[in-house]
Amino acid sequence: MTLTRLIGGFVFRHWRAYAAAGVMLAAIALLIVWVPRQVGHLVDALVAQRLSGPALWWEIGRLLGAGVLIYGLRVAWRLQLYSAAYRMGVELRTRLYERLALQGPRFYQTRRTGDLMALATNDVDAVEMAAGEAMLAGFDGTLTLVLVVATMTLDVDWRLGLVVLLPFPAMALSFWWISRHVHDASHEALGAFSHLNDHVQETLSGVRTLRALGLEARSSQRFAALAGDAAASSLKAQRWEATYEPAVGFTLTMAIVLSLGFGGWLVWRGEMTLGQLTSFGMYLGQLIWPMFAAGWVLALIERGRAAWGRLAPVLDEPLAVDDHGSVARVQAGAIEATRLVFSYPGQAQRALDEVSFTLPAGRTLGLVGPTGAGKSTLLKLLLRQWTAQHGTLCWGGTPLAEYTLAALRAGIAWVPQEAFLFSASVADNISLARPSATREQVEQAARDACVHEDIQRLPQGYDTPVGERGVTLSGGQRQRVAIARALLADAPLLLLDDALSAVDTETESRILAALRSARQGRTVIIASHRLSTLVDADQTLVLRHGRLTEQGTHRALVELGGWYATQWRVQQLEASLDEA
């Protein structure tokens, strides 16, 4: 979709606001044309001594009234216009946010957070200006230009009107040349701001790491360089936009010279009155706004085109996982995987290779294996963050692809490896998936996750803000708050992706004991490097290099004497040494 079609569709949907603003602009243009004409008649009447006393004051009052009315209409059309244009900004930001919320991990592997934030601010503002100021200023300037030129040529003197228009084609040609450079410079400036924004976002997110490594000076130098590039790019764009004014000034100067020369000659020959020449001079002065508006509108449109060229690909980016399912409610039952094969984009090695298993409803499945074995990948397939290239994955006898994403994810409570907390209170973070939960239910979930006592020691208890990404809490506390959030969701499927790695073995035992009593028939899948977490699992899968190499209960796997048994003995020895 082009910028023209985008703005056209928006204007069509909000035609009443634009029509009202257009009517007011048309009234302003007519009044602007009427004022010089009346001044010309007034001058001729004064020269002929046909006007004096109350009649003169009446004419002056009419001119003043027209000026006040023009002022009021200008305020009114701006209010009408901006209220419509701001709605476009809201619509674009909403579309962008909804698109970003639906995108999967593949999209964010190629996009930078700072760039996406810049799209939602600077780029949307540029498109909004093109739909607002540029549209109405273009309409106002064009209407004023047509009416003024028509009055100059048809009502005053057509010969003088044609003569003063001779410099205008050269101005149009210069505008076309300048607008091409404005587009390129605006695109460069938006990109430079995006890089600066991305650096700031990364720096603030990793500020503690920067301090720990002593990289503050290097980061500041990098920021200064990016800020300099952004300023230089913006200045370059402003320089090109500023060249519109000299083109307008030169054209207007030439028009004035031609008007005075040729118009004075017509007055000297008696073919034009002094009042007509005065009116013509005022009309010529009123062409200043349409000429400046033309340059301004072109600058806004080119800036909007450059911004839309960055926004459109993001809005049109296909979703990593298509949401074409029709089943709106999860049918809780067994989870069945049949010969799953999956490879990440750009990687030849399979992350999962012919993996098959069956997990009855209400049972617990453990996933173990070395780093990169495919444990987290399997959980991501269950969440439909990715889709397997081959094989099937069913829940309750229904392929996952047949569920709507909203229904599927509403039926899953997930605790990722890196627990993410929002900048809100502890209670709000726990009740995120279940906003209607009472404080008693929130506290019970926290007790089951063994974090209730830690929360009570916080300055404001459950109402304590945790800061961005939960920065005020320790890693173990963040994990346990995330577990409490998952338990409170009461979803039929609970996924724990190495969610106990940041807690000690004693706390782990308490959490697992609480999980056994709190899960109440829900299906649980736990991926972990710590085998003690999975001792009570109904079934454990051992993944190595994406392949299922061992399968069975804890006792059966130990007796098998394979990778699981070796790791179990090593971890038991480490635990004994720690206790000693």
Side-chain angles (χ1 to χ4, degrees), residues 474-535:
S474 68
Q477 289 173 332
R478 286 197 297 270
Q479 275 194 339
R480 284 176 284 159
V481 169
I483 292 172
R485 179 167 59 198
L487 293 175
L488 184 63
D490 198 26
L493 176 59
L494 174 62
L495 305 181
L496 301 177
D497 189 1
D498 207 13
L500 301 174
S501 59
V503 300
D504 57 75
T505 54
E506 181 181 352
T507 304
E508 177 195 43
S509 300
R510 292 167 54 200
I511 294 175
L512 291 174
L515 280 176
R516 284 192 292 270
S517 61
R519 67 191 187 199
Q520 297 176 351
R522 73 169 65 179
T523 305
V524 180
I525 300 180
I526 305 175
S528 178
H529 287 95
R530 192 182 292 171
L531 301 187
S532 58
T533 306
L534 308 174
V535 170

Side-chain angles (χ1 to χ4, degrees), residues 118-169:
L119 290 177
T121 51
N122 268 23
D123 294 79
V124 171
D125 285 342
V127 175
E128 183 182 300
M129 289 291 288
E133 286 285 348
M135 282 287 296
L136 270 296
F139 175 78
D140 185 21
T142 302
L143 183 61
T144 302
L145 177 66
V146 170
L147 289 176
V148 169
V149 171
T151 306
M152 289 167 58
T153 55
L154 300 178
D155 188 53
V156 182
D157 191 283
W158 66 271
R159 296 166 297 176
L160 184 57
L162 292 178
V163 167
V164 298
L165 291 178
L166 290 176
F168 281 73

